[in-house]
Amino acid sequence: VPEKFQKVLREYQKTGYLWLETLCQNGFGGILADDMGLGKTLQVIVFLYAHYIERQETHKNTLIVCPASLVYNWEREIHHFAPELTVYTVAGNVEERKSVLEHHQKGAIFITSYDLLRRDSDFYKKYRFRCQIIDEAQYIKNHSTQAAKAVKKIQADTRFALTGTPVENRLSELWSIFDYLMPGFLYSYSRFREELEVQIVQHESEEASERLRKMNRPFVL
């Protein structure tokens, strides 16, 4: 854990930060699923600080996607805990959003909303990010929505999802988030539905349940 945050983070937050690092170093993505108010944002900020400030990995940017109501909250939290980081909110009108993406320092963190990302999908085609983080990931629980499609089009080396509710109603919600994190890891949706979802939900197969648990356990904290 970076020295700056040794006395800031609680023990479970240190575990969360180290878990994010471990996944990243091994080329995986994951779902940080702490309950609301337990500091998911802070754990991510420490992760970004370690990469951009301590290790000076400033050759690529990071994109954070969240509900519109949280865009400026993310900005405030980053300024508060890690003012050394360079942050841009991709908001305002079309020209303002485009300008922010085109004129920026290297090693920056962009924050935008699901709705604006959906509208700006074409802007992002030419960019590849070091990391993409989606907050309140239940926003992409339905894989057929425009928001889900826009998030999954982004090119990024590492992807994380933050949510207090990885699955609310259907296992397809978990599949959709994993389809963003590591496309293909839980197969195509038709295969996932046939081999796992139907077996678990309709036939109450403990074997299928255990198989799914083993597959996703390392990637959900």
Short mmCIF file of all heavy atoms in Angstrom, two decimals, residues 36-82:
data_model
loop_
_atom_site.label_atom_id
_atom_site.label_comp_id
_atom_site.label_asym_id
_atom_site.label_seq_id
_atom_site.Cartn_x
_atom_site.Cartn_y
_atom_site.Cartn_z
N MET A 36 -22.52 -0.20 0.06
CA MET A 36 -22.46 1.24 -0.09
C MET A 36 -21.87 1.88 1.17
O MET A 36 -22.17 1.47 2.29
CB MET A 36 -23.88 1.79 -0.31
CG MET A 36 -23.92 3.16 -0.93
SD MET A 36 -25.59 3.57 -1.45
CE MET A 36 -26.18 4.41 0.00
N GLY A 37 -21.00 2.86 0.99
CA GLY A 37 -20.43 3.58 2.13
C GLY A 37 -19.17 2.97 2.71
O GLY A 37 -18.61 3.50 3.67
N LEU A 38 -18.70 1.85 2.12
CA LEU A 38 -17.50 1.20 2.66
C LEU A 38 -16.21 1.57 1.93
O LEU A 38 -15.17 0.99 2.17
CB LEU A 38 -17.69 -0.33 2.66
CG LEU A 38 -18.74 -0.87 3.64
CD1 LEU A 38 -18.73 -2.38 3.64
CD2 LEU A 38 -18.50 -0.35 5.06
N GLY A 39 -16.30 2.55 1.02
CA GLY A 39 -15.07 3.10 0.47
C GLY A 39 -14.54 2.45 -0.80
O GLY A 39 -13.33 2.37 -0.99
N LYS A 40 -15.43 2.01 -1.69
CA LYS A 40 -14.97 1.47 -2.97
C LYS A 40 -14.21 2.55 -3.76
O LYS A 40 -13.18 2.27 -4.36
CB LYS A 40 -16.16 0.96 -3.79
CG LYS A 40 -16.87 -0.23 -3.19
CD LYS A 40 -17.91 -0.83 -4.13
CE LYS A 40 -19.16 0.02 -4.32
NZ LYS A 40 -20.03 0.05 -3.12
N THR A 41 -14.73 3.78 -3.72
CA THR A 41 -14.10 4.89 -4.45
C THR A 41 -12.68 5.10 -3.97
O THR A 41 -11.74 5.24 -4.77
CB THR A 41 -14.92 6.19 -4.25
OG1 THR A 41 -16.26 5.95 -4.68
CG2 THR A 41 -14.35 7.32 -5.06
N LEU A 42 -12.49 5.12 -2.65
CA LEU A 42 -11.16 5.34 -2.08
C LEU A 42 -10.18 4.26 -2.50
O LEU A 42 -9.03 4.54 -2.83
CB LEU A 42 -11.26 5.42 -0.55
CG LEU A 42 -9.93 5.57 0.20
CD1 LEU A 42 -9.16 6.80 -0.28
CD2 LEU A 42 -10.18 5.65 1.71
N GLN A 43 -10.62 3.01 -2.50
CA GLN A 43 -9.73 1.91 -2.89
C GLN A 43 -9.26 2.09 -4.33
O GLN A 43 -8.09 1.83 -4.66
CB GLN A 43 -10.45 0.57 -2.70
CG GLN A 43 -10.69 0.24 -1.23
CD GLN A 43 -11.65 -0.92 -1.04
OE1 GLN A 43 -11.38 -2.03 -1.46
NE2 GLN A 43 -12.78 -0.66 -0.38
N VAL A 44 -10.14 2.55 -5.19
CA VAL A 44 -9.78 2.79 -6.59
C VAL A 44 -8.82 3.97 -6.70
O VAL A 44 -7.86 3.95 -7.48
CB VAL A 44 -11.05 3.03 -7.44
CG1 VAL A 44 -10.68 3.58 -8.82
CG2 VAL A 44 -11.83 1.73 -7.60
N ILE A 45 -9.06 5.01 -5.92
CA ILE A 45 -8.18 6.19 -5.94
C ILE A 45 -6.75 5.79 -5.55
O ILE A 45 -5.78 6.24 -6.16
CB ILE A 45 -8.72 7.31 -5.03
CG1 ILE A 45 -10.01 7.88 -5.62
CG2 ILE A 45 -7.69 8.41 -4.83
CD1 ILE A 45 -10.77 8.83 -4.70
N VAL A 46 -6.61 4.94 -4.54
CA VAL A 46 -5.29 4.47 -4.12
C VAL A 46 -4.63 3.68 -5.27
O VAL A 46 -3.44 3.83 -5.55
CB VAL A 46 -5.37 3.61 -2.85
CG1 VAL A 46 -3.99 3.09 -2.45
CG2 VAL A 46 -5.98 4.41 -1.70
N PHE A 47 -5.42 2.86 -5.94
CA PHE A 47 -4.93 2.10 -7.09
C PHE A 47 -4.39 3.05 -8.17
O PHE A 47 -3.29 2.86 -8.70
CB PHE A 47 -6.07 1.23 -7.64
CG PHE A 47 -5.76 0.54 -8.93
CD1 PHE A 47 -5.06 -0.67 -8.95
CD2 PHE A 47 -6.16 1.09 -10.13
CE1 PHE A 47 -4.78 -1.31 -10.15
CE2 PHE A 47 -5.88 0.46 -11.34
CZ PHE A 47 -5.19 -0.74 -11.35
N LEU A 48 -5.16 4.10 -8.48
CA LEU A 48 -4.75 5.06 -9.50
C LEU A 48 -3.51 5.84 -9.06
O LEU A 48 -2.60 6.09 -9.85
CB LEU A 48 -5.90 6.02 -9.82
CG LEU A 48 -7.15 5.37 -10.45
CD1 LEU A 48 -8.28 6.38 -10.56
CD2 LEU A 48 -6.83 4.78 -11.82
N TYR A 49 -3.47 6.22 -7.80
CA TYR A 49 -2.32 6.93 -7.25
C TYR A 49 -1.05 6.09 -7.40
O TYR A 49 0.00 6.59 -7.81
CB TYR A 49 -2.57 7.27 -5.77
CG TYR A 49 -1.40 7.94 -5.10
CD1 TYR A 49 -1.28 9.33 -5.09
CD2 TYR A 49 -0.42 7.19 -4.45
CE1 TYR A 49 -0.20 9.96 -4.48
CE2 TYR A 49 0.67 7.80 -3.84
CZ TYR A 49 0.77 9.18 -3.85
OH TYR A 49 1.84 9.79 -3.25
N ALA A 50 -1.15 4.82 -7.07
CA ALA A 50 0.01 3.93 -7.15
C ALA A 50 0.56 3.86 -8.56
O ALA A 50 1.78 3.89 -8.79
CB ALA A 50 -0.36 2.53 -6.66
N HIS A 51 -0.34 3.82 -9.55
CA HIS A 51 0.09 3.69 -10.95
C HIS A 51 0.59 5.01 -11.53
O HIS A 51 1.63 5.04 -12.19
CB HIS A 51 -1.05 3.12 -11.80
CG HIS A 51 -1.24 1.65 -11.59
ND1 HIS A 51 -0.72 0.70 -12.42
CD2 HIS A 51 -1.88 0.97 -10.61
CE1 HIS A 51 -1.02 -0.50 -11.98
NE2 HIS A 51 -1.74 -0.37 -10.88
N TYR A 52 -0.15 6.08 -11.29
CA TYR A 52 0.19 7.35 -11.95
C TYR A 52 1.22 8.18 -11.20
O TYR A 52 2.03 8.86 -11.82
CB TYR A 52 -1.07 8.18 -12.17
CG TYR A 52 -1.93 7.65 -13.30
CD1 TYR A 52 -3.19 7.11 -13.06
CD2 TYR A 52 -1.47 7.66 -14.61
CE1 TYR A 52 -3.97 6.60 -14.09
CE2 TYR A 52 -2.24 7.15 -15.65
CZ TYR A 52 -3.48 6.63 -15.39
OH TYR A 52 -4.24 6.12 -16.42
N ILE A 53 1.21 8.15 -9.89
CA ILE A 53 2.12 9.00 -9.12
C ILE A 53 3.36 8.22 -8.67
O ILE A 53 4.50 8.64 -8.91
CB ILE A 53 1.41 9.62 -7.90
CG1 ILE A 53 0.13 10.36 -8.34
CG2 ILE A 53 2.35 10.55 -7.15
CD1 ILE A 53 0.35 11.46 -9.38
N GLU A 54 3.16 7.08 -8.05
CA GLU A 54 4.33 6.32 -7.56
C GLU A 54 5.14 5.69 -8.69
O GLU A 54 6.35 5.74 -8.69
CB GLU A 54 3.87 5.23 -6.59
CG GLU A 54 3.41 5.78 -5.24
CD GLU A 54 3.59 4.77 -4.12
OE1 GLU A 54 3.49 3.56 -4.38
OE2 GLU A 54 3.81 5.22 -2.98
N ARG A 55 4.43 5.10 -9.67
CA ARG A 55 5.15 4.39 -10.73
C ARG A 55 5.29 5.19 -12.02
O ARG A 55 5.90 4.73 -12.97
CB ARG A 55 4.46 3.06 -11.03
CG ARG A 55 4.45 2.12 -9.85
CD ARG A 55 3.66 0.87 -10.12
NE ARG A 55 3.08 0.38 -8.88
CZ ARG A 55 2.03 -0.42 -8.81
NH1 ARG A 55 1.42 -0.81 -9.93
NH2 ARG A 55 1.57 -0.82 -7.65
N GLN A 56 4.65 6.36 -12.03
CA GLN A 56 4.75 7.26 -13.20
C GLN A 56 4.34 6.59 -14.51
O GLN A 56 4.97 6.77 -15.55
CB GLN A 56 6.19 7.79 -13.31
CG GLN A 56 6.59 8.71 -12.17
CD GLN A 56 5.87 10.05 -12.22
OE1 GLN A 56 5.94 10.78 -13.21
NE2 GLN A 56 5.14 10.37 -11.16
N GLU A 57 3.27 5.78 -14.45
CA GLU A 57 2.76 5.13 -15.67
C GLU A 57 1.82 6.10 -16.39
O GLU A 57 0.60 5.91 -16.42
CB GLU A 57 2.02 3.84 -15.30
CG GLU A 57 2.91 2.77 -14.69
CD GLU A 57 2.14 1.54 -14.26
OE1 GLU A 57 0.92 1.45 -14.53
OE2 GLU A 57 2.74 0.66 -13.62
N THR A 58 2.40 7.13 -16.98
CA THR A 58 1.58 8.22 -17.53
C THR A 58 1.39 8.15 -19.04
O THR A 58 0.99 9.11 -19.67
CB THR A 58 2.20 9.58 -17.16
OG1 THR A 58 3.57 9.59 -17.61
CG2 THR A 58 2.17 9.81 -15.66
N HIS A 59 1.69 6.98 -19.64
CA HIS A 59 1.57 6.89 -21.10
C HIS A 59 0.13 6.67 -21.55
O HIS A 59 -0.18 6.85 -22.72
CB HIS A 59 2.47 5.77 -21.64
CG HIS A 59 2.18 4.43 -21.05
ND1 HIS A 59 2.42 4.12 -19.73
CD2 HIS A 59 1.65 3.30 -21.60
CE1 HIS A 59 2.06 2.87 -19.49
NE2 HIS A 59 1.58 2.35 -20.60
N LYS A 60 -0.76 6.27 -20.63
CA LYS A 60 -2.17 6.08 -21.00
C LYS A 60 -3.06 6.66 -19.92
O LYS A 60 -2.66 6.79 -18.75
CB LYS A 60 -2.49 4.59 -21.17
CG LYS A 60 -1.96 3.98 -22.45
CD LYS A 60 -2.36 2.51 -22.55
CE LYS A 60 -1.71 1.84 -23.75
NZ LYS A 60 -1.88 0.38 -23.70
N ASN A 61 -4.29 6.98 -20.30
CA ASN A 61 -5.26 7.58 -19.38
C ASN A 61 -6.19 6.52 -18.79
O ASN A 61 -6.21 5.38 -19.23
CB ASN A 61 -6.07 8.64 -20.11
CG ASN A 61 -5.17 9.66 -20.79
OD1 ASN A 61 -4.25 10.18 -20.17
ND2 ASN A 61 -5.41 9.92 -22.06
N THR A 62 -6.99 6.96 -17.83
CA THR A 62 -8.01 6.10 -17.21
C THR A 62 -9.38 6.72 -17.45
O THR A 62 -9.53 7.95 -17.43
CB THR A 62 -7.75 5.94 -15.70
OG1 THR A 62 -6.67 5.02 -15.52
CG2 THR A 62 -8.97 5.40 -14.96
N LEU A 63 -10.39 5.87 -17.66
CA LEU A 63 -11.77 6.34 -17.84
C LEU A 63 -12.63 5.78 -16.72
O LEU A 63 -12.67 4.57 -16.51
CB LEU A 63 -12.32 5.89 -19.20
CG LEU A 63 -13.78 6.26 -19.48
CD1 LEU A 63 -13.96 7.77 -19.58
CD2 LEU A 63 -14.28 5.59 -20.76
N ILE A 64 -13.32 6.68 -16.01
CA ILE A 64 -14.29 6.27 -14.99
C ILE A 64 -15.68 6.62 -15.50
O ILE A 64 -15.94 7.76 -15.90
CB ILE A 64 -14.02 7.00 -13.65
CG1 ILE A 64 -12.64 6.61 -13.11
CG2 ILE A 64 -15.12 6.68 -12.64
CD1 ILE A 64 -12.20 7.41 -11.89
N VAL A 65 -16.57 5.63 -15.50
CA VAL A 65 -17.95 5.84 -15.96
C VAL A 65 -18.88 5.60 -14.77
O VAL A 65 -18.77 4.57 -14.10
CB VAL A 65 -18.32 4.88 -17.11
CG1 VAL A 65 -19.70 5.23 -17.67
CG2 VAL A 65 -17.26 4.91 -18.21
N CYS A 66 -19.78 6.54 -14.53
CA CYS A 66 -20.67 6.43 -13.37
C CYS A 66 -21.99 7.11 -13.68
O CYS A 66 -22.12 7.80 -14.69
CB CYS A 66 -20.01 7.07 -12.14
SG CYS A 66 -19.61 8.81 -12.34
N PRO A 67 -23.00 6.96 -12.82
CA PRO A 67 -24.24 7.71 -13.01
C PRO A 67 -23.95 9.21 -12.97
O PRO A 67 -23.02 9.66 -12.28
CB PRO A 67 -25.10 7.28 -11.81
CG PRO A 67 -24.54 5.96 -11.40
CD PRO A 67 -23.08 6.03 -11.68
N ALA A 68 -24.76 10.00 -13.68
CA ALA A 68 -24.53 11.44 -13.76
C ALA A 68 -24.44 12.10 -12.38
O ALA A 68 -23.65 13.02 -12.17
CB ALA A 68 -25.65 12.09 -14.59
N SER A 69 -25.21 11.60 -11.44
CA SER A 69 -25.24 12.20 -10.10
C SER A 69 -23.93 12.00 -9.33
O SER A 69 -23.71 12.66 -8.31
CB SER A 69 -26.39 11.60 -9.29
OG SER A 69 -26.21 10.19 -9.16
N LEU A 70 -23.06 11.11 -9.82
CA LEU A 70 -21.81 10.82 -9.10
C LEU A 70 -20.56 11.39 -9.77
O LEU A 70 -19.46 11.28 -9.22
CB LEU A 70 -21.65 9.31 -8.93
CG LEU A 70 -22.70 8.60 -8.07
CD1 LEU A 70 -22.41 7.10 -8.01
CD2 LEU A 70 -22.73 9.19 -6.66
N VAL A 71 -20.71 11.98 -10.96
CA VAL A 71 -19.54 12.47 -11.70
C VAL A 71 -18.71 13.44 -10.86
O VAL A 71 -17.50 13.28 -10.69
CB VAL A 71 -19.97 13.13 -13.03
CG1 VAL A 71 -18.80 13.90 -13.65
CG2 VAL A 71 -20.48 12.07 -14.01
N TYR A 72 -19.38 14.46 -10.30
CA TYR A 72 -18.63 15.48 -9.54
C TYR A 72 -18.24 14.98 -8.16
O TYR A 72 -17.28 15.48 -7.57
CB TYR A 72 -19.42 16.78 -9.49
CG TYR A 72 -19.55 17.38 -10.87
CD1 TYR A 72 -20.75 17.30 -11.58
CD2 TYR A 72 -18.45 17.98 -11.49
CE1 TYR A 72 -20.85 17.81 -12.87
CE2 TYR A 72 -18.54 18.48 -12.78
CZ TYR A 72 -19.75 18.41 -13.47
OH TYR A 72 -19.83 18.89 -14.75
N ASN A 73 -18.95 13.97 -7.67
CA ASN A 73 -18.55 13.34 -6.42
C ASN A 73 -17.20 12.63 -6.59
O ASN A 73 -16.31 12.74 -5.73
CB ASN A 73 -19.62 12.34 -5.97
CG ASN A 73 -19.29 11.73 -4.62
OD1 ASN A 73 -19.24 12.41 -3.61
ND2 ASN A 73 -19.02 10.42 -4.61
N TRP A 74 -17.04 11.92 -7.69
CA TRP A 74 -15.77 11.27 -8.00
C TRP A 74 -14.66 12.31 -8.10
O TRP A 74 -13.56 12.12 -7.57
CB TRP A 74 -15.87 10.49 -9.32
CG TRP A 74 -16.20 9.05 -9.15
CD1 TRP A 74 -17.44 8.48 -9.24
CD2 TRP A 74 -15.29 7.98 -8.87
NE1 TRP A 74 -17.35 7.13 -9.03
CE2 TRP A 74 -16.06 6.79 -8.80
CE3 TRP A 74 -13.92 7.91 -8.66
CZ2 TRP A 74 -15.47 5.54 -8.54
CZ3 TRP A 74 -13.34 6.67 -8.39
CH2 TRP A 74 -14.11 5.51 -8.33
N GLU A 75 -14.95 13.40 -8.78
CA GLU A 75 -13.94 14.45 -8.94
C GLU A 75 -13.51 15.00 -7.57
O GLU A 75 -12.30 15.15 -7.29
CB GLU A 75 -14.49 15.59 -9.81
CG GLU A 75 -13.47 16.68 -10.09
CD GLU A 75 -14.07 17.85 -10.85
OE1 GLU A 75 -15.26 18.19 -10.59
OE2 GLU A 75 -13.37 18.43 -11.69
N ARG A 76 -14.49 15.28 -6.70
CA ARG A 76 -14.19 15.80 -5.36
C ARG A 76 -13.36 14.81 -4.54
O ARG A 76 -12.41 15.19 -3.86
CB ARG A 76 -15.49 16.11 -4.60
CG ARG A 76 -16.13 17.44 -4.95
CD ARG A 76 -17.20 17.81 -3.95
NE ARG A 76 -18.24 16.79 -3.82
CZ ARG A 76 -19.32 16.73 -4.59
NH1 ARG A 76 -19.50 17.62 -5.55
NH2 ARG A 76 -20.22 15.78 -4.40
N GLU A 77 -13.74 13.54 -4.60
CA GLU A 77 -13.03 12.53 -3.83
C GLU A 77 -11.57 12.40 -4.27
O GLU A 77 -10.67 12.25 -3.44
CB GLU A 77 -13.73 11.17 -3.96
CG GLU A 77 -15.11 11.11 -3.33
CD GLU A 77 -15.03 11.01 -1.81
OE1 GLU A 77 -14.64 9.95 -1.30
OE2 GLU A 77 -15.34 12.02 -1.16
N ILE A 78 -11.35 12.45 -5.58
CA ILE A 78 -9.97 12.36 -6.09
C ILE A 78 -9.17 13.58 -5.65
O ILE A 78 -8.04 13.47 -5.17
CB ILE A 78 -9.95 12.19 -7.63
CG1 ILE A 78 -10.54 10.83 -8.03
CG2 ILE A 78 -8.52 12.31 -8.16
CD1 ILE A 78 -10.76 10.66 -9.51
N HIS A 79 -9.76 14.78 -5.79
CA HIS A 79 -9.07 16.00 -5.36
C HIS A 79 -8.75 15.95 -3.86
O HIS A 79 -7.71 16.44 -3.41
CB HIS A 79 -9.92 17.23 -5.66
CG HIS A 79 -9.92 17.61 -7.11
ND1 HIS A 79 -8.80 17.54 -7.91
CD2 HIS A 79 -10.92 18.07 -7.91
CE1 HIS A 79 -9.10 17.93 -9.13
NE2 HIS A 79 -10.38 18.25 -9.17
N HIS A 80 -9.65 15.36 -3.09
CA HIS A 80 -9.47 15.30 -1.64
C HIS A 80 -8.37 14.33 -1.24
O HIS A 80 -7.48 14.68 -0.44
CB HIS A 80 -10.79 14.90 -0.97
CG HIS A 80 -10.69 14.74 0.52
ND1 HIS A 80 -10.51 15.81 1.37
CD2 HIS A 80 -10.71 13.63 1.31
CE1 HIS A 80 -10.42 15.36 2.62
NE2 HIS A 80 -10.54 14.05 2.60
N PHE A 81 -8.44 13.11 -1.76
CA PHE A 81 -7.50 12.07 -1.32
C PHE A 81 -6.19 12.05 -2.11
O PHE A 81 -5.16 11.65 -1.58
CB PHE A 81 -8.16 10.69 -1.40
CG PHE A 81 -9.20 10.45 -0.35
CD1 PHE A 81 -10.55 10.43 -0.66
CD2 PHE A 81 -8.82 10.26 0.98
CE1 PHE A 81 -11.51 10.22 0.32
CE2 PHE A 81 -9.78 10.04 1.97
CZ PHE A 81 -11.12 10.03 1.64
N ALA A 82 -6.23 12.45 -3.38
CA ALA A 82 -5.02 12.39 -4.21
C ALA A 82 -4.97 13.58 -5.16
O ALA A 82 -5.13 13.44 -6.38
CB ALA A 82 -4.99 11.07 -5.00
#
